[in-house]
C-alpha cells in the first residue's frame, strides 16, 4: 500500500513535470536568450523537459525520500508535525528571506555597472517559482543531504556524527546551489568568463542563494520536505513574482 507521504511526493513530481512543460510556452524575457539558440519546436521542448523531470527528479527524489526516512528526518506528511510548522512558519520565513533578497540586491547593484538581478516576466515568474521550489529542493535538499549523510555518517563513520555531517552536507548543498545559478546570470548579462563576473556580484549570488539553502535545509530537517519547499516558494514569490513586477 502506498503511504500518504509517497502519494504526496508523486503529486509534487507530477506538478513539477506539468509546470515545466507549461513554462516552455510562456514568455521568458531575458531568460529566453538561451532558448533562442535552440531551433526546436516548443511542444518538443516541453515534452523533453517534462520527461526529464519525471524520470531524473522522480528517481533521485524517491531515493532521497527513502534515505531521509531511514535517517530519521520528519516524513513529508509526518503526523507529529502540525500544519503551522509545515506551512505557516516556512511561509513567514520565505517572505522574510525574499525581503532580504530585495534589500541586498538594491544595495549591491549600486556597487557594479551591471545592475540589479533580472526576473522572469509574469506569469512565468509564478510558474518558475513553483518549479524551483519543488525541483531544486528535490535535488539539493531531499536527495543530496540524506545521500551525503548516509554515505559519510552511516557508511564511513558507522552512524556517528550525523548532526555534524548534516551541516557539512547543508553547506556543500548551499554552495552547489548558489554556483548552479551562476551560468544563467552570466548568460543574461553577456559575461563569457567567470573571471569577468564582478566580485560583488559573485558575493551576492553566493550570499542570497546560500542563505536560502541553509534555511531550507534547516526546515527540511526540522519540519520535513514540504517545509523546505514552502521556504523556497515564498522566497521566490516575493523576490520574482512581487518584486519582479515592480
Amino acid at each position: 500500500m502506498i503511504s500518504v507521504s509517497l502519494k504526496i511526493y508523486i503529486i509534487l513530481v507530477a506538478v513539477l513535470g506539468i509546470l515545466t512543460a507549461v513554462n516552455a510556452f510562456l514568455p521568458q524575457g531575458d531568460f529566453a536568450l538561451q532558448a533562442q539558440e535552440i531551433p526546436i519546436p516548443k511542444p518538443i521542448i516541453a515534452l523533453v523537459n517534462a520527461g526529464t523531470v519525471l524520470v531524473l527528479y522522480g528517481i533521485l527524489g524517491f531515493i532521497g525520500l527513502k534515505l531521509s526516512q531511514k535517517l530519521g528526518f520528519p516524513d513529508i506528511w509526518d503526523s507529529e508535525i502540525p500544519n503551522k510548522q509545515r506551512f505557516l512558519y516556512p511561509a513567514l520565513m520565505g517572505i522574510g528571506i525574499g525581503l532580504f533578497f530585495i534589500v541586498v540586491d538594491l544595495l549591491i547593484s549600486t556597487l557594479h555597472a551591471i545592475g540589479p538581478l533580472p526576473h522572469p516576466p509574469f506569469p512565468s515568474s509564478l510558474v518558475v517559482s513553483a518549479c524551483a521550489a519543488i525541483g531544486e529542493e528535490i535535488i539539493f535538499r531531499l536527495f543530496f543531504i540524506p545521500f551525503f549523510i548516509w554515505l559519510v555518517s552511516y557508511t564511513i563513520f558507522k552512524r556517528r556524527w550525523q548532526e555534524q555531517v548534516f551541516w557539512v552536507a547543508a553547506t556543500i548543498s548551499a554552495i552547489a546551489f548558489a554556483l548552479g545559478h551562476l551560468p544563467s546570470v552570466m548568460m543574461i548579462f553577456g559575461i563569457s568568463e567567470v573571471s569577468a563576473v564582478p566580485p560583488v556580484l559573485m558575493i551576492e549570488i553566493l550570499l542570497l542563494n546560500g542563505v536560502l539553502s541553509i534555511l531550507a535545509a534547516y526546515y527540511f530537517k526540522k519540519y520535513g520536505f514540504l517545509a523546505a519547499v514552502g521556504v523556497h516558494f515564498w522566497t521566490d514569490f516575493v523576490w520574482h513574482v512581487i518584486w519582479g513586477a515592480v
Side-chain angles (χ1 to χ4, degrees), residues 16 23-24 31 49-50 62 97 101 104 111-112 125 132 134 168-169 175-176 186-188 198 203 221 224 233 238 240:
L16 177 61
N23 191 54
F31 291 80
N49 288 347
F62 179 76
I97 299 172
F101 275 31
V104 170
L111 302 178
H112 56 75
S125 58
I134 300 173
V168 171
I175 295 171
M186 293 174 60
M187 176 199 70
I188 291 169
I203 291 173
K221 182 176 184 294
F233 173 76
V238 171
H240 286 309

Side-chain angles (χ1 to χ4, degrees), residues 88-121:
L88 178 60
Y89 293 173
L92 295 175
M93 176 58 70
I95 292 170
I97 299 172
L99 295 174
F100 171 74
F101 275 31
I102 294 170
V103 172
V104 170
D105 190 52
L106 286 173
L107 293 174
I108 292 184
S109 63
T110 63
L111 302 178
H112 56 75
I114 292 180
L117 292 173
H119 304 275

Side-chain angles (χ1 to χ4, degrees), residues 28-210:
Q28 302 297 315
D30 292 334
F31 291 80
L33 295 176
Q34 188 177 29
Q36 290 175 356
E37 301 174 359
I38 307 175
I40 301 175
K42 287 185 178 181
I44 301 299
I45 295 176
L47 184 62
V48 171
N49 288 347
T52 301
V53 162
L54 292 174
V55 175
L56 180 61
Y57 285 65
I59 292 175
L60 292 180
F62 179 76
I63 294 172
L65 176 63
K66 291 303 179 181
L67 287 175
S68 68
Q69 293 170 341
K70 178 182 178 69
L71 295 170
F73 281 64
D75 215 343
I76 287 182
W77 198 260
D78 196 311
S79 59
E80 297 183 1
I81 304 294
N83 283 332
K84 66 179 180 180
Q85 295 177 341
R86 186 180 288 120
F87 298 116
L88 178 60
Y89 293 173
L92 295 175
M93 176 58 70
I95 292 170
I97 299 172
L99 295 174
F100 171 74
F101 275 31
I102 294 170
V103 172
V104 170
D105 190 52
L106 286 173
L107 293 174
I108 292 184
S109 63
T110 63
L111 302 178
H112 56 75
I114 292 180
L117 292 173
H119 304 275
F122 187 84
S124 298
S125 58
L126 182 58
V127 174
V128 168
S129 295
C131 288
I134 300 173
E136 292 175 347
E137 290 308 309
I138 285 177
I139 297 298
F140 291 99
R141 252 62 70 185
L142 182 60
F143 169 72
F144 180 81
I145 290 179
F147 178 77
F148 188 91
I149 295 174
W150 170 79
L151 180 65
V152 176
S153 180
Y154 264 52
T155 304
I156 299 177
F157 294 138
K158 307 302 180 183
R159 302 193 179 191
R160 293 176 293 173
W161 305 317
Q162 182 172 325
E163 182 71 19
Q164 293 86 341
V165 173
F166 165 79
W167 287 111
V168 171
T171 302
I172 295 174
S173 172
I175 295 171
F177 176 73
L179 293 179
H181 288 76
L182 184 59
S184 61
V185 172
M186 293 174 60
M187 176 199 70
I188 291 169
F189 288 127
I191 302 173
S192 58
E193 298 180 359
V194 175
S195 59
V197 178
V200 288
L201 178 59
M202 181 69 77
I203 291 173
E204 180 178 4
I205 293 171
L206 292 171
L207 176 62
L208 298 187
N209 291 291

Side-chain angles (χ1 to χ4, degrees), residues 219-237:
Y219 272 73
F220 170 46
K221 182 176 184 294
K222 192 169 182 65
Y223 302 130
F225 180 64
L226 286 179
V229 172
V231 171
H232 198 144
F233 173 76
W234 288 106
T235 298
D236 280 3
F237 184 83

